[in-house]
Amino acid sequence: MMRLPRFRFVAPDSLAEAVDVLAAATPGDAQIVAGGTDLIPNMKRRQQTPGTLVGLRRIEELRRIQNGDGLNRLDGFDGLTVGAGVTLTRLVHALDAHRTPGVLALRQAAVQVATPQLRNMGTIGGNLCLDTRCNYYDQNYEWRKAINFCMKKDGDICWVAPSSRRCLAVSSTDTAPALVSLGASVTLAGADGVRTIPVRALYQNDGIAYLTRRPGEILTTICLPNLEGWRSTYWKLRRRGAFDFPVLSVAAAVKMVDGAVEEARIVLGAVASCPIEVTDAGTALRGQRLTDEQISIAADCAARPAKPMDNTDFSLVWRKRMMKTFVTYALRELRGDDMRSERYRIARRLL
């Protein structure tokens, strides 16, 4: 049985109090926890061993969902502000109430995270800050010790690519690619004040320092813009259709005017240490109709920067090939094709 290491637990009642606790803590010793669905198992495996956990569940302002006009209601859609402490289950229900095509990618991403029980606990902020994953890292302490650890924790070599100077652990968050495709932003609060950045700027391509969140900062809200005229979708590849991290994901969003694409964003997940927005694919679609030929061109553009490594499930060659297939599926769905049979086949692992 894997047991938790000893730690001190602090449960502040306000955001200001939480920021003060983090600011007063020894650097690297304190860590924030919301649902704990990722952090607690990591602590049992000694991947992370904070001396102090700062619980956020008592902070009311982190659990609010508000329209763009600042009112706490869900009718209409003029943007949306979601507290980082909102559970994934509650987020899905809120997005169901909107029924806006532009936010479908986020709804599809959130509903495919883990299992219903974990979505009841896990939060949108926690999923955005999800630790990167790797076959050589996501093991118990004894297993990792037997290989002399790895660069991400306690060692000095990346076993995926021993000559690499950086950790190649993979970003496995479902909601981040969706939010990047929707042009969302996040707000972070710390001892130095509050700042707002695009979701894409929250990440960098490094398996260890994968977040640009500063020490002591807390992710407080996620802001969705007005998505009138937009359509979006999210496709996820995983071994088990009911419960698994993505080994490849595609979030796509397009704004259509008179049947042509005015703006498009295609974002790849689980192929690098951060979500990758393929700007060339978006450029290839701009001003074009979603014909089979144009979709094929965009899918080729999207597949080029995808360089999956041999550090997760399935072979990297097959995952690379499936990237073009998934981008094609996503764009066909945004065109209006009925893709339910393909989604079913993927869920049943019949590809």
Side-chain angles (χ1 to χ4, degrees):
M1 177 185 294
M2 293 187 292
R3 298 182 182 277
L4 283 168
R6 289 183 176 275
F7 62 90
R8 182 173 72 101
F9 183 73
V10 181
D13 292 311
S14 68
L15 182 60
E17 184 182 349
V19 168
D20 288 343
V21 171
L22 291 172
T26 303
D29 180 68
Q31 194 155 344
I32 57 178
V33 60
T37 57
D38 187 59
L39 176 61
I40 299 304
N42 286 356
M43 290 175 63
K44 289 182 176 181
R45 293 189 292 260
R46 302 307 189 266
Q47 292 166 276
Q48 295 163 354
T49 54
T52 300
L53 287 185
V54 182
L56 303 180
R57 298 192 68 181
R58 295 173 63 177
I59 303 176
E60 176 63 30
E61 62 189 284
L62 297 183
R63 300 200 304 271
R64 296 173 185 160
I65 301 177
Q66 296 177 313
N67 258 4
D69 56 13
L71 298 178
N72 193 21
R73 58 183 176 79
L74 297 176
D75 56 310
F77 190 87
D78 184 21
L80 195 67
T81 299
V82 181
V86 171
T87 66
L88 294 165
T89 295
R90 184 168 167 235
L91 176 63
V92 169
H93 291 162
L95 295 176
D96 282 343
H98 280 291
R99 299 187 179 276
T100 303
V103 298
L104 184 58
L106 179 57
R107 194 266 181 202
Q108 290 171 329
V111 82
Q112 291 185 76
V113 175
T115 63
Q117 293 87 348
L118 292 174
R119 291 194 295 273
N120 288 343
M121 289 291 295
T123 63
I124 178 63
N127 191 256
L128 284 177
C129 297
L130 185 71
D131 193 15
T132 52
R133 301 182 60 78
C134 176
N135 288 340
Y136 295 96
Y137 172 68
D138 289 286
Q139 307 288 344
N140 62 37
Y141 179 84
E142 288 73 20
W143 191 100
R144 291 184 290 112
K145 183 179 180 180
I147 64 168
N148 200 27
F149 302 104
C150 71
M151 183 186 295
K152 186 167 168 65
K153 175 66 175 175
D154 298 323
D156 57 8
I157 187 171
C158 177
W159 291 107
V160 179
S163 62
S164 176
R165 294 184 179 181
R166 69 173 180 87
C167 171
L168 298 175
V170 177
S171 171
S172 298
T173 162
D174 284 291
T175 57
L179 286 166
V180 173
S181 74
L182 300 179
S185 61
V186 292
T187 300
L188 302 112
D192 295 330
V194 177
R195 65 189 179 110
T196 300
I197 59 174
V199 172
R200 68 170 67 87
L202 182 63
Y203 303 97
Q204 54 191 5
N205 200 13
D206 187 307
I208 299 173
Y210 58 96
L211 291 176
T212 61
R213 187 182 67 188
R214 298 166 185 163
E217 279 190 326
I218 299 173
L219 194 158
T220 59
T221 56
I222 300 95
C223 300
L224 288 164
N226 187 323
L227 294 168
E228 184 178 355
W230 285 83
R231 309 173 191 171
S232 68
T233 187
Y234 177 79
W235 286 72
K236 174 179 180 175
L237 177 63
R238 52 185 170 177
R239 181 172 291 275
R240 295 171 292 184
F243 173 38
D244 252 331
F245 289 98
V247 294
L248 180 157
S249 63
V250 174
V254 297
K255 185 176 184 180
M256 308 289 291
V257 177
D258 297 328
V261 176
E262 183 180 83
E263 193 172 351
R265 302 189 195 101
I266 296 176
V267 184
L268 314 181
V271 293
S273 299
C274 66
I276 298 177
E277 182 177 358
V278 190
T279 55
D280 287 348
T283 301
L285 291 173
R286 200 167 296 129
Q288 306 293 325
R289 295 183 179 275
L290 290 176
T291 63
D292 288 347
E293 179 181 5
Q294 208 61 41
I295 287 175
S296 179
I297 292 171
D300 283 335
C301 289
R304 288 190 199 111
K307 295 180 172 62
M309 303 298 292
D310 191 19
N311 55 357
T312 186
D313 203 1
F314 297 124
S315 74
L316 62 91
V317 175
W318 186 71
R319 287 164 58 213
K320 170 78 171 179
R321 188 168 71 246
M322 290 307 297
M323 178 57 71
K324 180 177 179 179
T325 300
F326 269 47
V327 173
T328 300
Y329 284 168
L331 293 176
R332 284 179 56 196
E333 183 175 31
L334 294 180
R335 181 174 64 183
D337 295 8
D338 186 349
M339 303 300 293
R340 286 175 295 182
S341 61
E342 282 76 7
R343 283 193 180 273
Y344 177 78
R345 290 171 60 219
I346 292 167
R348 298 288 296 174
R349 293 182 51 224
L350 296 179
L351 277 173

